[in-house]
PDB file of all heavy atoms in Angstrom:
ATOM      1  N   VAL A 381    -177.180  58.209-187.732  1.00  0.00           N
ATOM      2  CA  VAL A 381    -176.711  58.556-189.064  1.00  0.00           C
ATOM      3  C   VAL A 381    -175.663  59.670-188.998  1.00  0.00           C
ATOM      4  O   VAL A 381    -174.615  59.747-189.628  1.00  0.00           O
ATOM      5  CB  VAL A 381    -177.895  59.048-190.093  1.00  0.00           C
ATOM      6  CG1 VAL A 381    -177.226  59.631-191.380  1.00  0.00           C
ATOM      7  CG2 VAL A 381    -178.601  57.746-190.363  1.00  0.00           C
ATOM      8  N   LEU A 384    -172.570  58.104-187.868  1.00  0.00           N
ATOM      9  CA  LEU A 384    -172.064  57.305-188.925  1.00  0.00           C
ATOM     10  C   LEU A 384    -171.235  58.227-189.897  1.00  0.00           C
ATOM     11  O   LEU A 384    -170.109  57.885-190.341  1.00  0.00           O
ATOM     12  CB  LEU A 384    -173.097  56.605-189.737  1.00  0.00           C
ATOM     13  CG  LEU A 384    -172.800  55.819-190.938  1.00  0.00           C
ATOM     14  CD1 LEU A 384    -171.689  54.693-190.626  1.00  0.00           C
ATOM     15  CD2 LEU A 384    -173.874  55.216-191.600  1.00  0.00           C
ATOM     16  N   GLN A 385    -171.764  59.395-190.210  1.00  0.00           N
ATOM     17  CA  GLN A 385    -171.192  60.168-191.227  1.00  0.00           C
ATOM     18  C   GLN A 385    -169.859  60.921-190.676  1.00  0.00           C
ATOM     19  O   GLN A 385    -169.110  61.425-191.596  1.00  0.00           O
ATOM     20  CB  GLN A 385    -172.166  61.341-191.716  1.00  0.00           C
ATOM     21  CG  GLN A 385    -172.382  62.463-190.809  1.00  0.00           C
ATOM     22  CD  GLN A 385    -173.183  63.559-191.385  1.00  0.00           C
ATOM     23  OE1 GLN A 385    -173.504  63.493-192.544  1.00  0.00           O
ATOM     24  NE2 GLN A 385    -173.459  64.645-190.660  1.00  0.00           N
ATOM     25  N   GLU A 388    -167.644  57.849-191.955  1.00  0.00           N
ATOM     26  CA  GLU A 388    -167.812  57.146-193.288  1.00  0.00           C
ATOM     27  C   GLU A 388    -168.747  58.071-194.118  1.00  0.00           C
ATOM     28  O   GLU A 388    -169.520  58.859-193.740  1.00  0.00           O
ATOM     29  CB  GLU A 388    -168.434  55.849-193.016  1.00  0.00           C
ATOM     30  CG  GLU A 388    -167.654  54.806-192.254  1.00  0.00           C
ATOM     31  CD  GLU A 388    -167.986  53.399-192.510  1.00  0.00           C
ATOM     32  OE1 GLU A 388    -168.266  52.952-193.707  1.00  0.00           O
ATOM     33  OE2 GLU A 388    -168.127  52.646-191.638  1.00  0.00           O
ATOM     34  N   THR A 389    -168.590  57.847-195.394  1.00  0.00           N
ATOM     35  CA  THR A 389    -169.313  58.645-196.347  1.00  0.00           C
ATOM     36  C   THR A 389    -170.937  57.919-196.517  1.00  0.00           C
ATOM     37  O   THR A 389    -170.916  56.752-196.613  1.00  0.00           O
ATOM     38  CB  THR A 389    -168.737  58.474-197.704  1.00  0.00           C
ATOM     39  OG1 THR A 389    -167.398  58.927-197.680  1.00  0.00           O
ATOM     40  CG2 THR A 389    -169.520  59.408-198.798  1.00  0.00           C
ATOM     41  N   ILE A 390    -171.745  58.776-196.409  1.00  0.00           N
ATOM     42  CA  ILE A 390    -173.143  58.398-196.407  1.00  0.00           C
ATOM     43  C   ILE A 390    -173.805  59.038-197.513  1.00  0.00           C
ATOM     44  O   ILE A 390    -173.487  60.155-198.117  1.00  0.00           O
ATOM     45  CB  ILE A 390    -173.855  58.362-195.314  1.00  0.00           C
ATOM     46  CG1 ILE A 390    -173.947  59.914-194.724  1.00  0.00           C
ATOM     47  CG2 ILE A 390    -173.302  57.605-194.086  1.00  0.00           C
ATOM     48  CD1 ILE A 390    -175.295  60.368-193.960  1.00  0.00           C
ATOM     49  N   HIS A 391    -175.084  58.678-197.956  1.00  0.00           N
ATOM     50  CA  HIS A 391    -175.929  59.418-198.908  1.00  0.00           C
ATOM     51  C   HIS A 391    -176.493  60.655-198.115  1.00  0.00           C
ATOM     52  O   HIS A 391    -177.279  60.362-197.276  1.00  0.00           O
ATOM     53  CB  HIS A 391    -176.891  58.399-199.413  1.00  0.00           C
ATOM     54  CG  HIS A 391    -177.840  59.063-200.502  1.00  0.00           C
ATOM     55  ND1 HIS A 391    -177.481  59.995-201.342  1.00  0.00           N
ATOM     56  CD2 HIS A 391    -179.242  58.834-200.692  1.00  0.00           C
ATOM     57  CE1 HIS A 391    -178.514  60.351-202.016  1.00  0.00           C
ATOM     58  NE2 HIS A 391    -179.482  59.612-201.821  1.00  0.00           N
ATOM     59  N   PRO A 392    -176.149  61.871-198.519  1.00  0.00           N
ATOM     60  CA  PRO A 392    -176.719  62.881-197.687  1.00  0.00           C
ATOM     61  C   PRO A 392    -178.122  63.132-197.623  1.00  0.00           C
ATOM     62  O   PRO A 392    -178.660  63.640-196.737  1.00  0.00           O
ATOM     63  CB  PRO A 392    -175.928  64.184-198.270  1.00  0.00           C
ATOM     64  CG  PRO A 392    -175.586  63.610-199.676  1.00  0.00           C
ATOM     65  CD  PRO A 392    -175.377  62.297-199.545  1.00  0.00           C
ATOM     66  N   LEU A 395    -180.046  61.714-194.460  1.00  0.00           N
ATOM     67  CA  LEU A 395    -179.953  62.471-193.159  1.00  0.00           C
ATOM     68  C   LEU A 395    -181.126  63.503-193.291  1.00  0.00           C
ATOM     69  O   LEU A 395    -181.818  63.731-192.314  1.00  0.00           O
ATOM     70  CB  LEU A 395    -178.709  63.008-192.972  1.00  0.00           C
ATOM     71  CG  LEU A 395    -178.505  63.996-191.609  1.00  0.00           C
ATOM     72  CD1 LEU A 395    -178.810  63.087-190.351  1.00  0.00           C
ATOM     73  CD2 LEU A 395    -177.047  64.385-191.552  1.00  0.00           C
TER      74      LEU A 395
END
Side-chain angles (χ1 to χ4, degrees):
V381 172
L384 176 61
Q385 76 172 359
E388 300 197 48
T389 303
I390 61 147
H391 181 31
L395 186 56

